[in-house]
């Protein structure tokens, strides 16, 4: 990461303002983020549907789709980081980077760190910095001294948004149906023997992931960048750099 390439205004912000900047970033980059998530999570959804059809239950398919969220988060973060630092991911670049996701701590994020509520806040350390283990531990400890609580609440709030969105989508489908068909629709959802209902619920879970996960990752990323700005005075570094460039441009030629 080169500070000079940042395309967002660099200054210390209140954590909630930093997270709001993440929301604005997703609004700007939504088409690219949606395509990324469809490319990475879409095949997982197909595999989850096959599991549902073979087992007759949604549980294992849903668990697979949910468990691999750190993989989707890494893909989204790679795209967001390149956009924030003024680059556009080249076609095929994301696939190459994900192929080396073992260096980004993917195994740990799928195992002992899978239930961390600070994932969106700390993931950039693993994905973007890729420090040696000793330096990485010090960096994580330093980041966790501030804003970790807000990062954990971000995780909790976004998880609830995801659940509410899924319930809202199902309720919308229910109310759009003719009144005579609503009883059949409720039976379809409540009876696990109906595979169509299980696949529908799996599709709704994927829709919730598609709509919520980019905001979760972007807000955590902006919280991380804000903390780095506070710790390392990025705003002052850029100000002195710009001042030096202006003085150099005014210096008379020899």
């Amino acid at each position: 990461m080169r500070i000079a390439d940042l395309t967002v205004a660099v200054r210390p912000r209140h954590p909630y303002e930093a997270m709001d900047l993440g929301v604005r970033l997703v609004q700007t980059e939504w088409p690219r983020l949606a395509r990324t998530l469809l490319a990475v999570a879409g095949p997982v959804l197909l595999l989850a549907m096959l599991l549902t059809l073979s087992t007759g239950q949604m549980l294992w398919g849903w668990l697979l789709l949910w468990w691999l969220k750190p993989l989707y988060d890494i893909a989204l973060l790679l795209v967001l980081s390149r956009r924030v630092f003024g680059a556009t991911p080249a076609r095929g670049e994301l696939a190459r980077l994900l192929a080396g996701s073992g260096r980004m701590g993917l195994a740990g994020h799928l195992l002992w760190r899978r239930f961390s509520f600070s994932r969106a806040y700390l993931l950039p350390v693993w994905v973007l910095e890729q420090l040696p283990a000793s330096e990485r531990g010090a960096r994580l400890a330093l980041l966790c001294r501030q804003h970790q609580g807000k990062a954990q609440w971000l995780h909790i709030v976004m998880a609830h948004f995801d659940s509410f969105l899924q319930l809202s989508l199902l309720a919308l489908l229910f109310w759009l149906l003719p009144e005579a068909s609503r009883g059949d629709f409720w039976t379809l959802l409540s009876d696990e023997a109906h595979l169509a209902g299980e696949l529908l619920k799996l599709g709704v879970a994927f829709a919730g992931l598609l709509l919520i996960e980019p905001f979760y990752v972007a807000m955590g990323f902006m919280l991380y960048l804000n903390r780095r700005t506070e710790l390392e005075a990025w705003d002052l570094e850029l100000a002195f750099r710009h001042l030096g460039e202006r003085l150099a441009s005014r210096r008379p030629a020899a």
Side-chain angles (χ1 to χ4, degrees):
M1 299 184 297
R2 295 179 66 248
I3 303 173
D5 294 335
L6 277 167
T7 58
V8 297
V10 180
R11 60 177 176 82
R13 291 178 166 86
H14 190 280
Y16 295 128
E17 185 185 358
M19 288 188 279
D20 181 68
L21 185 60
V23 173
R24 294 170 181 265
L25 179 61
V26 173
Q27 291 172 339
T28 303
E29 301 294 334
W30 170 251
R32 183 175 283 106
L33 295 174
R35 289 195 299 268
T36 299
L37 199 48
L38 285 171
V40 177
V44 180
L45 174 65
L46 294 177
L47 183 57
M49 287 183 169
L50 290 175
L51 277 174
T52 300
L53 291 173
S54 62
T55 60
Q57 293 182 344
M58 185 194 70
L59 175 62
W60 296 110
W62 174 86
L63 187 62
L64 175 67
L65 189 66
W66 173 81
W67 198 270
L68 291 179
K69 276 189 176 183
L71 175 63
Y72 320 145
D73 293 349
I74 288 175
L76 291 170
L77 181 59
L78 288 170
V79 173
L80 284 168
S81 63
R82 274 148 182 75
R83 297 302 297 153
V84 166
F85 284 91
T88 300
R91 185 172 297 179
E93 180 185 7
L94 180 62
R96 292 195 301 272
L97 290 170
L98 287 177
S101 57
R103 298 191 304 273
M104 305 174 190
L106 178 61
H109 287 297
L110 293 176
L111 296 173
W112 59 91
R113 287 188 298 272
R114 180 59 186 84
F115 297 98
S116 170
F117 280 20
S118 305
R119 183 172 73 242
Y121 178 47
L122 301 179
L123 192 62
V125 177
W126 295 88
V127 176
L128 304 179
E129 299 187 30
Q130 297 188 24
L131 300 170
S134 58
E135 295 181 27
R136 183 174 60 242
R139 172 81 76 191
L140 292 171
L142 189 60
L143 290 175
C144 288
R145 290 178 190 171
Q146 292 287 336
H147 307 332
Q148 186 181 23
K150 292 180 176 61
Q152 292 172 341
W153 273 110
L154 170 65
H155 186 103
I156 295 170
V157 169
M158 298 307 284
H160 280 80
F161 269 129
D162 190 2
S163 300
F164 292 149
L165 179 61
Q166 293 181 43
L167 291 173
S168 299
L169 290 174
L170 290 174
L172 178 62
L173 290 174
F174 179 82
W175 289 110
L176 287 177
L177 287 173
E179 189 171 352
S181 303
R182 291 174 183 171
D184 295 334
F185 182 73
W186 178 255
T187 302
L188 185 72
L189 293 179
S190 58
D191 189 352
E192 294 182 359
H194 290 281
L195 285 179
E198 297 294 280
L199 292 176
L200 175 62
K201 288 186 284 186
L202 196 59
V204 168
F206 182 78
L209 184 151
L210 184 65
L211 294 173
I212 296 297
E213 207 67 16
F215 289 98
Y216 171 65
V217 175
M219 293 166 76
F221 181 39
M222 289 297 104
L223 194 62
Y224 160 82
L225 286 181
N226 189 59
R227 181 61 179 149
R228 289 288 303 273
T229 300
E230 293 174 350
L231 289 171
E232 300 170 31
W234 283 359
D235 54 330
L236 295 179
E237 179 180 340
L238 284 176
F240 281 119
R241 184 175 298 180
H242 293 158
L243 178 61
E245 291 172 354
R246 283 195 325 205
L247 291 175
S249 65
R250 294 179 182 178
R251 187 177 303 160

